[in-house]
């Protein structure tokens, strides 16, 4: 069996088993809140970050890893190297990784490196890395793994519900009037990702609990052959909400497995306090 390595930009959450395993590496984005730069790595503290975002009138921003950072991650002993980035429609991380691959191949032309555009974010990236691992562990070739994982990405669906619409308002994705009306009426949008990896609104509901129920309806409706699939939930500072969501999903559908993770830095920035993301 060939050796492999999987590089995930820090929008994707790492499983506990992957931390400290040299086959997995997180390449950090930089988060900027009110002029302060925060590295999205193991030093990231969600609670203090959310407090800074809430106190800052400006929109928090993220900067993707440089091509050199990716190149350094690609320069390893592994024969097969894969990178998973957040949607190319949302960040420059994918293009940066492609450039890093080009630089690495100039030095090591024999190395096999592939960059996956997740067309998702957060645990969508985690599930893609898990799929790569399964393919490699089953003895698939590099080319077979790439084809299998690209097919898996095509089949993935991403959904999310936000408690707090401030980041969407601050970055211009929601008008101030709409955000104020939504806040006053406690309207919560049910959001999703298009097949291209852009954000779209699927529905809305009065109150977070009704929005979560609607999201579960979409998850059930869109998931074919669920018994063979792994579903993942990431939550921003709301573990109880994530557990209730997990139980609600398991009441409605059979799954191979279900993972629940806390959002890392970039996902915390987008989901904001109380947000939940589901990918299957």
């Amino acid at each position: 069996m060939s050796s492999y390595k999987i590089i995930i930009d820090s929008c994707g959450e790492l499983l506990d088993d992957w931390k400290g395993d040299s086959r997995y590496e997180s390449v950090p984005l930089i988060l900027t809140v009110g002029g302060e730069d925060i590295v999205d790595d193991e030093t990231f503290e969600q609670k203090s970050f959310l407090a800074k975002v809430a106190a800052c009138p400006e929109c928090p921003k993220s900067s993707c890893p440089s091509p050199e950072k990716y190149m350094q991650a690609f320069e390893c002993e592994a024969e097969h190297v894969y990178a998973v980035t957040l949607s190319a429609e949302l960040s420059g991380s994918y293009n940066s990784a492609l450039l890093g691959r080009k630089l690495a191949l100039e030095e090591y032309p024999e190395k096999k490196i592939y960059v996956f555009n997740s067309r998702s974010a957060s645990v969508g990236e985690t599930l893609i890395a898990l799929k790569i691992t399964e393919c490699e562990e089953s003895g698939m070739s590099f080319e077979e793994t790439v084809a299998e994982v690209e097919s898996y990405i095509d089949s993935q669906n991403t959904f999310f519900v936000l408690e707090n619409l401030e980041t969407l308002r601050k970055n211009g994705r929601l008008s101030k009037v709409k955000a104020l009306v939504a806040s006053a009426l406690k309207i919560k949008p049910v959001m999703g990702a298009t097949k291209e990896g852009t954000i779209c609104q699927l529905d809305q509901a009065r109150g977070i609990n009704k929005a979560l129920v609607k999201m579960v309806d979409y998850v059930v409706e869109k998931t074919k052959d669920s018994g063979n699939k792994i579903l993942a939930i990431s939550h921003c500072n709301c573990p109880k909400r994530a557990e209730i969501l997990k139980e609600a999903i398991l009441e409605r559908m059979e799954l191979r497995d279900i993972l629940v993770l806390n959002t890392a830095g970039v996902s915390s920035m987008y989901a904001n306090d109380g947000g939940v993301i589901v990918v299957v």
Side-chain angles (χ1 to χ4, degrees), residues 10-275:
S10 67
C11 186
E13 282 74 46
L14 292 185
L15 300 180
D16 285 340
D17 292 352
W18 296 350
K19 294 170 185 174
D21 185 330
S22 61
R23 291 174 300 177
Y24 302 89
E25 182 178 345
S26 176
V27 178
L29 281 83
I30 306 293
L31 309 175
T32 305
V33 184
E36 181 188 350
D37 286 345
I38 299 158
V39 181
D40 186 15
D41 59 13
E42 64 280 354
T43 64
F44 174 78
E45 290 181 336
Q46 188 187 65
K47 193 174 178 181
S48 64
F49 174 77
L50 292 173
K52 285 172 185 172
V53 170
C56 183
E58 298 152 33
C59 181
K61 292 185 170 57
S62 63
S63 317
C64 67
S66 67
E68 288 74 25
K69 287 277 184 197
Y70 276 113
M71 182 182 75
Q72 287 163 11
F74 293 146
E75 290 174 341
C76 58
E77 297 296 318
E79 297 160 82
H80 299 169
V81 186
Y82 308 92
V84 183
T85 74
L86 73 123
S87 172
E89 295 290 335
L90 302 177
S91 166
S93 188
Y94 175 66
N95 286 328
S96 190
L98 285 179
L99 194 48
R101 174 184 180 271
K102 186 180 175 189
L103 293 169
L105 288 176
E106 284 172 6
E107 294 283 323
Y108 308 97
E110 74 292 341
K111 195 175 273 293
K112 292 188 172 183
I113 305 171
Y114 191 85
V115 180
F116 291 102
N117 171 12
S118 72
R119 289 181 259 153
S120 179
S122 185
V123 281
E125 295 178 57
T126 312
L127 288 176
I128 292 163
L130 197 55
K131 186 70 176 177
I132 298 167
T133 303
E134 285 179 4
C135 292
E136 278 285 343
E137 294 293 332
S138 71
M140 281 189 186
S141 69
F142 179 79
E143 291 73 20
E144 286 168 337
T145 297
V146 167
E148 181 75 15
V149 175
E150 283 289 5
S151 173
Y152 172 71
I153 291 170
D154 280 338
S155 74
Q156 246 190 11
N157 287 297
T158 301
F159 310 92
F160 57 101
V161 168
L162 305 182
E163 172 77 79
N164 185 326
L165 302 177
E166 273 301 284
T167 299
L168 284 182
R169 183 190 66 76
K170 286 175 185 173
N171 70 16
R173 291 183 187 273
L174 203 62
S175 74
K176 191 168 186 179
V177 171
K178 193 171 180 182
L180 284 170
V181 170
S183 296
L185 299 178
K186 294 188 165 56
I187 291 170
K188 307 298 179 191
V190 179
M191 313 290 278
T194 65
K195 287 299 174 189
E196 296 74 37
T198 57
I199 293 171
C200 62
Q201 183 170 334
L202 301 170
D203 215 324
Q204 63 185 40
R206 296 269 309 256
I208 190 81
N209 291 332
K210 287 179 180 173
L212 291 172
V213 169
K214 282 197 173 186
M215 180 169 70
V216 173
D217 289 341
Y218 278 97
V219 170
V220 173
E221 179 195 330
K222 296 280 187 184
T223 308
K224 310 299 177 208
D225 191 26
S226 67
N228 289 318
K229 294 196 171 166
I230 300 173
L231 179 144
I233 300 169
S234 57
H235 66 88
C236 184
N237 195 35
C238 54
K240 285 184 181 172
R241 181 173 290 163
E243 280 303 318
I244 292 166
L245 183 59
K246 175 184 174 179
E247 286 171 22
I249 289 169
L250 288 174
E251 278 176 15
R252 300 276 305 274
M253 63 199 293
E254 188 185 336
L255 289 157
R256 193 174 115 205
D257 199 4
I258 189 160
L259 308 172
V260 179
L261 296 166
N262 196 357
T263 50
V266 181
S267 304
S268 295
M269 187 183 90
Y270 282 110
N272 219 317
D273 206 357

